[in-house]
Amino acid sequence: MEIVQIVDGMKVRGVTNAFIGGEWYRPRRTYAEHSPVSRMPLVEVANCSPADVPLAVDWATTGLRNWGRLPPFERAKILSNWSEIIRASSEEVARVITLEMGKPLREARAEVQGSAQAVLWAAEEAKRIGGETIPSELPGRRLWTVRQPVGTVLGITPWNFPVSMVTRKAAPALAAGCSFILKPAENTPLSALVLAEMWKEAGGPGGVFQVLPTNDPGPLVDAVLKDRTVRKLTFTGSTETGRMLSEKAGRLLKKVSMELGGHAPFMVFADADLMAAARSLVAAKFSNGGQTCVSVNRVYVHEDVSTDFSDCLLELLRTLKVGDPFKTETDIGPLVNEQAVEKVNRQIEDATDKGARVLHGGTHDGLFFTPTLISGVEGNMKVLREETFGPLLPLTTFRSEREVLEAANGGPYGLAAYLWTSDISRAHRVSDALEFGLVGINDQRVFQPHLPFGGVKDSGFGREGGRWGVDSFLETKLVSLAIQENTELDEGGE
Ligand code: ADP
């Protein structure tokens, strides 16, 4: 296996060039990538521009043709090779993730294992894409559907899960028979390029999976979208960017899937198992330093148990370790950049100015933010309206189901919501009334490769994962065949 780069003393497979047409491609310019761990420049990475787009979209068309000609079982074989290579190299890939965006190595390993699983799941699903037969209302007709790939897909991914965000989009698209052009986040291109090297090694044909890094995404993405051979945009990122790209893609009549911001409520009813709820909350809030779209953003605790619950939380928060993400004991690494730190600081300041109290944390050392708990939070505070994307947990209280549901559904986002209760009827009532794409009841694990994932309202539309994820890269073609419907079977001869 070829080792082509030494980055920050680490061997990294893959190169810092773009990956176009199955080969490493050097565009005219490069840009410097920095690590949030050392805050030092890591490498110079390919900086693709609209000038590089015609080559990539031409290759995507060639890739689509060649990929489409392969029997689905062959495509499944290549995808499962890809999955196996990712799985077998999980330590190496995990280190690249941690280096690029700072999540604890333990979490990066889990991300890579989950990504390998997602690719394998898509590989298996490639064998099961079939159509249906439909009864005819007229005599002498046979009707059926064929499921075909939408065509060339543009994927745009964020930095917070630099490997799994790629595989959860690319793998189902490839399983469906599409070709896939990836524009990774500007601060995590290496993770994507390592995946490209593995795709090559898995026997993936040229032009089917391509990676075009850039630090100026606007013009590049415009050029790809405007190409008439590009049929779908799949995006994960901020609501603001997603809205803007939806408008552009809508005008061009491209199919669109949007996985956008979240502002997850976590509701603790008085009959909940408080310690179990607190453990689940800490897991749902502090993984990836709170930098996930399903991360809890606001906690509503029934007023009868609010003191007991915050005691449980404090006990757990005191055990969390902030520090070097490469160390196994670390729970929270650095936040991704200064703006992320400033945003958490601004929300804490705004809340405390308006009367909230810091019960734990509230400080940072550079990009390393302590897990923070604030209480006495009210509806007029920023933290209850804006996505935090950092390790800040605001506690607020409620008295009734109606009150907490109104608060939970009140904001613009609708990705994940969590509730804790031991009353089965309440669990159903509240879950039914929540305007969210994902609901965890006494559970925060709402994400698995085979489950549908996605939001409603300003959290976007479309579902990734499972058969729903593959469906979103398929079109349904109806075929109608007129035949001679004799009353007698043909006996042969004249
Ligand atoms: P985040 O705040 O998570 O960085 P963004 O929405 O800014 O969220 O970024 C998510 C993805 O969208 C990244 O790959 C980024 O490069 C891309 N992106 C940001 N701005 C644009 C733009 N104007 N056009 C196309 N893609 C963009």
Side-chain angles (χ1 to χ4, degrees), residues 11 40 56 85 134-135 192 225 246 254 300 316 319 327-328 359 370 384-386 394 430 473:
K11 292 174 183 171
M40 301 296 286
I85 295 169
I134 305 170
L225 274 183
S246 272
K254 311 281 175 180
Y300 299 97
L316 298 173
T319 67
K327 291 201 169 138
T328 38
L359 299 184
T370 51
L384 285 193
R385 297 197 310 265
E386 286 176 358
V430 175
F473 295 104

mmCIF file of all heavy atoms in Angstrom, residues 11 40 56 85 134-135 192 225 246 254 300 316 319 327-328 359 370 384-386 394 430 473:
data_model
loop_
_atom_site.group_PDB
_atom_site.id
_atom_site.type_symbol
_atom_site.label_atom_id
_atom_site.label_comp_id
_atom_site.label_asym_id
_atom_site.label_seq_id
_atom_site.Cartn_x
_atom_site.Cartn_y
_atom_site.Cartn_z
ATOM 1 N N LYS A 11 2.003 9.256 8.835
ATOM 2 C CA LYS A 11 1.893 8.775 7.463
ATOM 3 C C LYS A 11 0.434 8.845 7.037
ATOM 4 O O LYS A 11 -0.442 8.324 7.731
ATOM 5 C CB LYS A 11 2.362 7.329 7.384
ATOM 6 C CG LYS A 11 3.840 7.181 7.624
ATOM 7 C CD LYS A 11 4.185 5.718 7.677
ATOM 8 C CE LYS A 11 5.659 5.547 7.983
ATOM 9 N NZ LYS A 11 5.977 4.144 8.251
ATOM 10 N N MET A 40 -1.159 24.929 13.864
ATOM 11 C CA MET A 40 -0.085 25.171 12.899
ATOM 12 C C MET A 40 -0.570 24.741 11.517
ATOM 13 O O MET A 40 -1.448 23.890 11.404
ATOM 14 C CB MET A 40 1.159 24.337 13.253
ATOM 15 C CG MET A 40 1.735 24.618 14.617
ATOM 16 S SD MET A 40 2.350 26.296 14.738
ATOM 17 C CE MET A 40 3.832 26.144 13.767
ATOM 18 N N ALA A 56 -13.871 17.600 -14.483
ATOM 19 C CA ALA A 56 -14.532 16.738 -13.495
ATOM 20 C C ALA A 56 -15.920 16.295 -13.971
ATOM 21 O O ALA A 56 -16.285 15.123 -13.830
ATOM 22 C CB ALA A 56 -14.630 17.456 -12.158
ATOM 23 N N ILE A 85 -11.515 -1.787 3.122
ATOM 24 C CA ILE A 85 -10.254 -1.026 3.210
ATOM 25 C C ILE A 85 -10.391 0.080 4.261
ATOM 26 O O ILE A 85 -9.478 0.317 5.054
ATOM 27 C CB ILE A 85 -9.880 -0.455 1.820
ATOM 28 C CG1 ILE A 85 -9.578 -1.601 0.851
ATOM 29 C CG2 ILE A 85 -8.674 0.482 1.917
ATOM 30 C CD1 ILE A 85 -9.466 -1.179 -0.598
ATOM 31 N N ILE A 134 -47.136 -3.294 -12.346
ATOM 32 C CA ILE A 134 -48.349 -2.560 -11.982
ATOM 33 C C ILE A 134 -49.502 -3.130 -12.819
ATOM 34 O O ILE A 134 -49.335 -3.326 -14.031
ATOM 35 C CB ILE A 134 -48.184 -1.057 -12.299
ATOM 36 C CG1 ILE A 134 -46.925 -0.513 -11.585
ATOM 37 C CG2 ILE A 134 -49.418 -0.253 -11.905
ATOM 38 C CD1 ILE A 134 -46.552 0.882 -12.018
ATOM 39 N N PRO A 135 -50.656 -3.384 -12.212
ATOM 40 C CA PRO A 135 -51.786 -3.894 -12.994
ATOM 41 C C PRO A 135 -52.250 -2.854 -14.013
ATOM 42 O O PRO A 135 -52.177 -1.654 -13.753
ATOM 43 C CB PRO A 135 -52.876 -4.151 -11.952
ATOM 44 C CG PRO A 135 -52.246 -3.958 -10.625
ATOM 45 C CD PRO A 135 -50.970 -3.214 -10.798
ATOM 46 N N ALA A 192 -11.244 13.399 3.159
ATOM 47 C CA ALA A 192 -11.939 13.057 1.907
ATOM 48 C C ALA A 192 -10.954 12.469 0.899
ATOM 49 O O ALA A 192 -11.276 11.523 0.178
ATOM 50 C CB ALA A 192 -12.612 14.300 1.336
ATOM 51 N N LEU A 225 -22.998 23.101 -10.401
ATOM 52 C CA LEU A 225 -24.465 23.056 -10.435
ATOM 53 C C LEU A 225 -25.016 23.443 -11.798
ATOM 54 O O LEU A 225 -26.028 22.908 -12.258
ATOM 55 C CB LEU A 225 -25.041 24.014 -9.392
ATOM 56 C CG LEU A 225 -25.224 23.492 -7.971
ATOM 57 C CD1 LEU A 225 -25.860 24.565 -7.113
ATOM 58 C CD2 LEU A 225 -26.074 22.226 -7.957
ATOM 59 N N SER A 246 -30.182 25.813 -1.985
ATOM 60 C CA SER A 246 -31.494 25.280 -2.396
ATOM 61 C C SER A 246 -32.124 26.178 -3.436
ATOM 62 O O SER A 246 -32.736 25.706 -4.398
ATOM 63 C CB SER A 246 -32.461 25.278 -1.218
ATOM 64 O OG SER A 246 -32.369 24.135 -0.510
ATOM 65 N N LYS A 254 -32.691 21.107 -10.143
ATOM 66 C CA LYS A 254 -31.939 19.924 -9.699
ATOM 67 C C LYS A 254 -32.689 19.318 -8.520
ATOM 68 O O LYS A 254 -33.299 20.035 -7.725
ATOM 69 C CB LYS A 254 -30.531 20.311 -9.226
ATOM 70 C CG LYS A 254 -29.767 21.206 -10.163
ATOM 71 C CD LYS A 254 -29.174 20.462 -11.321
ATOM 72 C CE LYS A 254 -28.524 21.451 -12.281
ATOM 73 N NZ LYS A 254 -27.915 20.836 -13.435
ATOM 74 N N TYR A 300 -35.015 20.935 29.020
ATOM 75 C CA TYR A 300 -36.217 21.310 29.760
ATOM 76 C C TYR A 300 -36.437 20.246 30.831
ATOM 77 O O TYR A 300 -36.663 19.083 30.511
ATOM 78 C CB TYR A 300 -37.432 21.344 28.832
ATOM 79 C CG TYR A 300 -37.290 22.357 27.702
ATOM 80 C CD1 TYR A 300 -36.861 21.959 26.437
ATOM 81 C CD2 TYR A 300 -37.587 23.703 27.906
ATOM 82 C CE1 TYR A 300 -36.735 22.882 25.406
ATOM 83 C CE2 TYR A 300 -37.459 24.635 26.879
ATOM 84 C CZ TYR A 300 -37.031 24.215 25.637
ATOM 85 O OH TYR A 300 -36.905 25.128 24.617
ATOM 86 N N LEU A 316 -21.516 14.175 36.782
ATOM 87 C CA LEU A 316 -20.926 13.628 35.557
ATOM 88 C C LEU A 316 -19.980 14.624 34.890
ATOM 89 O O LEU A 316 -18.923 14.246 34.380
ATOM 90 C CB LEU A 316 -22.036 13.246 34.568
ATOM 91 C CG LEU A 316 -22.994 12.156 35.047
ATOM 92 C CD1 LEU A 316 -24.142 11.976 34.060
ATOM 93 C CD2 LEU A 316 -22.245 10.824 35.209
ATOM 94 N N THR A 319 -16.330 14.742 35.799
ATOM 95 C CA THR A 319 -15.427 13.661 35.367
ATOM 96 C C THR A 319 -14.934 13.841 33.926
ATOM 97 O O THR A 319 -14.067 13.106 33.475
ATOM 98 C CB THR A 319 -16.144 12.286 35.440
ATOM 99 O OG1 THR A 319 -17.179 12.288 34.454
ATOM 100 C CG2 THR A 319 -16.733 12.023 36.805
ATOM 101 N N LYS A 327 -5.024 11.779 23.126
ATOM 102 C CA LYS A 327 -4.903 10.967 24.345
ATOM 103 C C LYS A 327 -6.202 10.187 24.579
ATOM 104 O O LYS A 327 -7.299 10.761 24.428
ATOM 105 C CB LYS A 327 -4.637 11.862 25.556
ATOM 106 C CG LYS A 327 -3.259 12.487 25.520
ATOM 107 C CD LYS A 327 -2.838 12.921 26.905
ATOM 108 C CE LYS A 327 -1.377 13.300 26.927
ATOM 109 N NZ LYS A 327 -1.127 14.500 27.719
ATOM 110 N N THR A 328 -6.065 8.926 24.982
ATOM 111 C CA THR A 328 -7.266 8.087 25.095
ATOM 112 C C THR A 328 -8.224 8.560 26.180
ATOM 113 O O THR A 328 -9.426 8.339 26.096
ATOM 114 C CB THR A 328 -6.902 6.616 25.380
ATOM 115 O OG1 THR A 328 -5.796 6.611 26.262
ATOM 116 C CG2 THR A 328 -6.595 5.847 24.129
ATOM 117 N N LEU A 359 -23.255 27.087 36.449
ATOM 118 C CA LEU A 359 -23.100 26.077 37.505
ATOM 119 C C LEU A 359 -21.804 25.291 37.361
ATOM 120 O O LEU A 359 -21.310 24.704 38.311
ATOM 121 C CB LEU A 359 -24.266 25.072 37.464
ATOM 122 C CG LEU A 359 -25.668 25.607 37.684
ATOM 123 C CD1 LEU A 359 -26.677 24.471 37.698
ATOM 124 C CD2 LEU A 359 -25.751 26.398 38.989
ATOM 125 N N THR A 370 -14.225 24.369 28.443
ATOM 126 C CA THR A 370 -14.690 23.428 29.472
ATOM 127 C C THR A 370 -16.178 23.139 29.269
ATOM 128 O O THR A 370 -16.931 24.020 28.836
ATOM 129 C CB THR A 370 -14.513 24.016 30.890
ATOM 130 O OG1 THR A 370 -15.095 25.319 30.893
ATOM 131 C CG2 THR A 370 -13.062 24.108 31.295
ATOM 132 N N LEU A 384 -31.235 29.786 23.622
ATOM 133 C CA LEU A 384 -32.469 29.041 23.362
ATOM 134 C C LEU A 384 -32.979 29.244 21.946
ATOM 135 O O LEU A 384 -33.987 28.666 21.555
ATOM 136 C CB LEU A 384 -33.557 29.422 24.372
ATOM 137 C CG LEU A 384 -33.395 28.858 25.776
ATOM 138 C CD1 LEU A 384 -34.678 29.030 26.578
ATOM 139 C CD2 LEU A 384 -32.998 27.378 25.767
ATOM 140 N N ARG A 385 -32.286 30.075 21.172
ATOM 141 C CA ARG A 385 -32.751 30.325 19.801
ATOM 142 C C ARG A 385 -31.724 29.948 18.745
ATOM 143 O O ARG A 385 -32.060 29.455 17.687
ATOM 144 C CB ARG A 385 -33.131 31.801 19.649
ATOM 145 C CG ARG A 385 -34.292 32.223 20.554
ATOM 146 C CD ARG A 385 -34.884 33.524 20.099
ATOM 147 N NE ARG A 385 -33.846 34.540 19.896
ATOM 148 C CZ ARG A 385 -33.485 35.447 20.795
ATOM 149 N NH1 ARG A 385 -34.086 35.474 21.943
ATOM 150 N NH2 ARG A 385 -32.546 36.326 20.535
ATOM 151 N N GLU A 386 -30.426 30.219 19.054
ATOM 152 C CA GLU A 386 -29.375 29.966 18.057
ATOM 153 C C GLU A 386 -28.722 28.621 18.308
ATOM 154 O O GLU A 386 -28.490 28.260 19.460
ATOM 155 C CB GLU A 386 -28.222 30.969 18.254
ATOM 156 C CG GLU A 386 -28.459 32.346 17.833
ATOM 157 C CD GLU A 386 -27.230 33.206 18.209
ATOM 158 O OE1 GLU A 386 -26.257 32.694 18.817
ATOM 159 O OE2 GLU A 386 -27.282 34.394 17.899
ATOM 160 N N PRO A 394 -27.699 24.594 28.506
ATOM 161 C CA PRO A 394 -28.572 25.477 29.277
ATOM 162 C C PRO A 394 -29.767 24.725 29.862
ATOM 163 O O PRO A 394 -30.432 23.966 29.168
ATOM 164 C CB PRO A 394 -29.038 26.478 28.214
ATOM 165 C CG PRO A 394 -28.975 25.745 26.917
ATOM 166 C CD PRO A 394 -28.058 24.554 27.080
ATOM 167 N N VAL A 430 -46.136 12.621 23.540
ATOM 168 C CA VAL A 430 -45.159 13.692 23.299
ATOM 169 C C VAL A 430 -44.432 13.444 21.973
ATOM 170 O O VAL A 430 -44.261 14.352 21.161
ATOM 171 C CB VAL A 430 -44.173 13.803 24.486
ATOM 172 C CG1 VAL A 430 -43.085 14.814 24.201
ATOM 173 C CG2 VAL A 430 -44.941 14.196 25.755
ATOM 174 N N PHE A 473 -31.397 8.801 -4.408
ATOM 175 C CA PHE A 473 -30.517 8.896 -5.584
ATOM 176 C C PHE A 473 -31.087 8.121 -6.774
ATOM 177 O O PHE A 473 -30.370 7.834 -7.724
ATOM 178 C CB PHE A 473 -29.115 8.378 -5.241
ATOM 179 C CG PHE A 473 -28.430 9.233 -4.210
ATOM 180 C CD1 PHE A 473 -28.331 8.816 -2.899
ATOM 181 C CD2 PHE A 473 -27.913 10.476 -4.564
ATOM 182 C CE1 PHE A 473 -27.712 9.621 -1.942
ATOM 183 C CE2 PHE A 473 -27.302 11.286 -3.621
ATOM 184 C CZ PHE A 473 -27.204 10.852 -2.308
#
